[in-house]
Amino acid sequence: MTAGERPPLGSENMGAIGAARDAVSMTSSREAAAQAQRKRAEENEARREADAAAAIVAEAERKRKEHEEAAAAALAAAEFERKRAHEAAALQTEKQKVAAAAAVAAAKAEAEQARMEQEEAAAAAAAAERKRAEEAAAAQKAMEEAAAAAAAAEADAEHARKEQESAAAKASAAAAVPKLAVPATQAPPTDPIRVSGSETARYDNMELSEMVLRWASDVTGKPLPDPPLDERAVHAHFKNGVLLCELINAISPGMIKRIEKPMGPFQQRENIARFLTGATDIGVESHALFLTGDLFDGTDLKQVCHCLFALGRACHGVEGYSGPTLGKAVKAKLGKHRDSTFKVATGEGLWGKSAGQHRASAGGDARMVNPSATGYMSARGSAD
């Protein structure tokens, strides 16, 4: 056997080596297993520590968020309270301003109402005083004109008496002269009777009331009041003055610009006063007018009927008017006096035919009412 050569191994050596090799391998395996177990234990411990740290971080984050949310909620609540306090203060201020403005406006309104009431009272007092003065002046003028009319009537009567005496003397002288035969001639036609002088004197109160009521109804187209057509009907029909103003406007359109509707006593008197002014402008003489109280209070309704009759007479001379009239023609103040060439038909009611249904006649204006107030007189002394 040379140097460096190993002696061949025997079976015993081979077994020992294998055992040693197995022992080393087992030891290595156990160490490796222990090392792996340690590594796993370390990894598990690291994982637990990491989980614990993550839990701590998560808890810290949760608490941070809770703190932030609480702080935000506190800030929002504080802002809400601040806004609510500001709005409440603003609302209170606005309410105070509105209340103050309302109080000022109410005070102004009360002052204005008081001023208007004082002005209305002063105007009413002035109007009443003016009306009393006008009525007193009208009454004085009516008395003076009545006295003048009485004096004129007396003078006319004296003149008529002298003419009668003269005619009687002439008749006596003619009777003493021998009569000569003369051919018979046809008597001239008689003219329709005309009411002269105090035309309403021949009618009683009932006839005069019915006459003026029917005439006013024909002129205005308004219905008649319920029968009987007496002075009480005149009072009820004309008391508020509306129909009187409409009567004036039917005769002379637009003369009365304003008619009070609805109205109290003062407005009714105003309507009556406007009618009296309009009647005067049309041509009714002042002695034929009535006082406001005569109609409104019903103290002298006969004078009211006289005034309406006088207005019907004055209508003869109103230029452009062709409706029904009363009595004989008189000179009117409105326009030129109109010589009518129409004669109303008779026997068909108080006014003959309806208003405007006239037949031509060459005898002039002959629309005269007979004393019985049932038709028109067509010949002296007889009614159709």
Side-chain angles (χ1 to χ4, degrees), residues 159-170:
H159 180 69
R161 184 185 63 78
K162 290 181 178 180
E163 286 186 347
Q164 287 176 357
E165 291 177 353
S166 177
K170 290 179 180 179

Side-chain angles (χ1 to χ4, degrees), residues 175-190:
V177 178
K179 295 182 179 179
L180 300 176
V182 294
T185 59
Q186 185 178 1
T190 58

Side-chain angles (χ1 to χ4, degrees), residues 93-157:
T93 304
E94 185 65 24
K95 287 182 178 179
Q96 291 175 350
K97 290 180 179 178
V98 170
V104 172
K108 289 183 178 178
E110 291 178 357
E112 181 66 16
Q113 181 67 23
R115 184 187 64 79
M116 292 177 63
E117 290 177 354
Q118 290 177 354
E119 290 180 354
E120 289 176 356
E129 184 64 26
R130 185 172 61 254
K131 188 172 294 295
R132 282 195 295 269
E134 290 175 354
E135 290 176 352
Q140 180 65 27
K141 188 175 181 181
M143 291 176 60
E144 294 174 355
E145 291 179 350
E154 186 176 349
D156 290 343

Side-chain angles (χ1 to χ4, degrees), residues 50-371:
D51 291 341
I56 292 171
V57 171
E59 180 67 19
E61 182 66 19
R62 184 183 66 78
K63 288 183 179 180
R64 184 185 65 76
K65 289 183 178 180
E66 287 180 353
H67 288 309
E68 289 179 354
E69 290 175 355
L75 288 174
E79 181 66 17
F80 176 77
E81 289 296 331
R82 186 186 65 78
K83 287 184 178 179
R84 189 172 65 175
H86 178 71
E87 290 174 355
L91 181 61
Q92 183 66 24
T93 304
E94 185 65 24
K95 287 182 178 179
Q96 291 175 350
K97 290 180 179 178
V98 170
V104 172
K108 289 183 178 178
E110 291 178 357
E112 181 66 16
Q113 181 67 23
R115 184 187 64 79
M116 292 177 63
E117 290 177 354
Q118 290 177 354
E119 290 180 354
E120 289 176 356
E129 184 64 26
R130 185 172 61 254
K131 188 172 294 295
R132 282 195 295 269
E134 290 175 354
E135 290 176 352
Q140 180 65 27
K141 188 175 181 181
M143 291 176 60
E144 294 174 355
E145 291 179 350
E154 186 176 349
D156 290 343
E158 181 64 21
H159 180 69
R161 184 185 63 78
K162 290 181 178 180
E163 286 186 347
Q164 287 176 357
E165 291 177 353
S166 177
K170 290 179 180 179
S172 299
V177 178
K179 295 182 179 179
L180 300 176
V182 294
T185 59
Q186 185 178 1
T190 58
D191 294 330
I193 187 169
R194 296 176 181 268
V195 183
S196 60
S198 181
E199 294 184 82
T200 58
R202 65 174 62 194
Y203 310 120
D204 60 30
N205 292 349
M206 184 74 174
E207 290 172 342
L208 187 58
S209 299
E210 181 177 358
M211 187 186 307
V212 297
L213 282 168
R214 290 187 180 278
W215 172 72
S217 176
D218 283 352
V219 174
T220 61
K222 302 295 183 180
L224 284 167
D226 295 332
L229 301 181
D230 54 8
E231 289 184 351
R232 286 177 296 181
V234 171
H235 184 224
H237 202 51
F238 296 123
K239 178 182 177 181
N240 61 16
V242 173
L243 289 176
L244 293 177
C245 292
E246 292 177 351
L247 178 61
I248 293 294
N249 284 341
I251 298 169
S252 179
M255 175 172 284
I256 296 180
K257 305 298 183 183
R258 178 180 177 183
I259 303 176
E260 301 290 344
K261 297 178 184 178
M263 74 293 283
F266 180 77
Q267 288 77 14
Q268 294 176 22
R269 288 177 175 271
E270 283 293 319
N271 286 338
I272 296 173
R274 291 188 179 106
F275 162 78
L276 293 172
T277 301
T280 302
D281 292 340
I282 287 175
V284 177
E285 297 294 337
S286 59
H287 65 81
L289 298 175
F290 59 86
L291 301 180
T292 303
D294 293 342
L295 173 57
F296 186 79
D297 300 324
T299 54
D300 194 351
L301 297 173
K302 186 174 182 179
Q303 183 61 30
V304 175
C305 295
H306 285 309
C307 179
L308 290 171
F309 189 91
L311 178 61
R313 290 182 60 201
C315 289
H316 283 284
V318 178
E319 187 174 2
Y321 176 75
S322 60
T325 58
L326 292 173
K328 68 179 182 180
V330 294
K331 186 176 182 181
K333 294 182 180 179
L334 292 181
K336 184 179 179 182
H337 177 66
R338 167 172 56 86
D339 291 330
S340 173
T341 59
F342 295 94
K343 179 179 178 182
V344 177
T346 59
E348 297 181 30
L350 180 61
W351 310 117
K353 292 185 179 180
S354 300
Q357 296 181 2
H358 300 157
R359 63 173 181 266
S361 170
D365 194 339
R367 289 174 283 186
M368 298 298 126
V369 181
N370 71 343

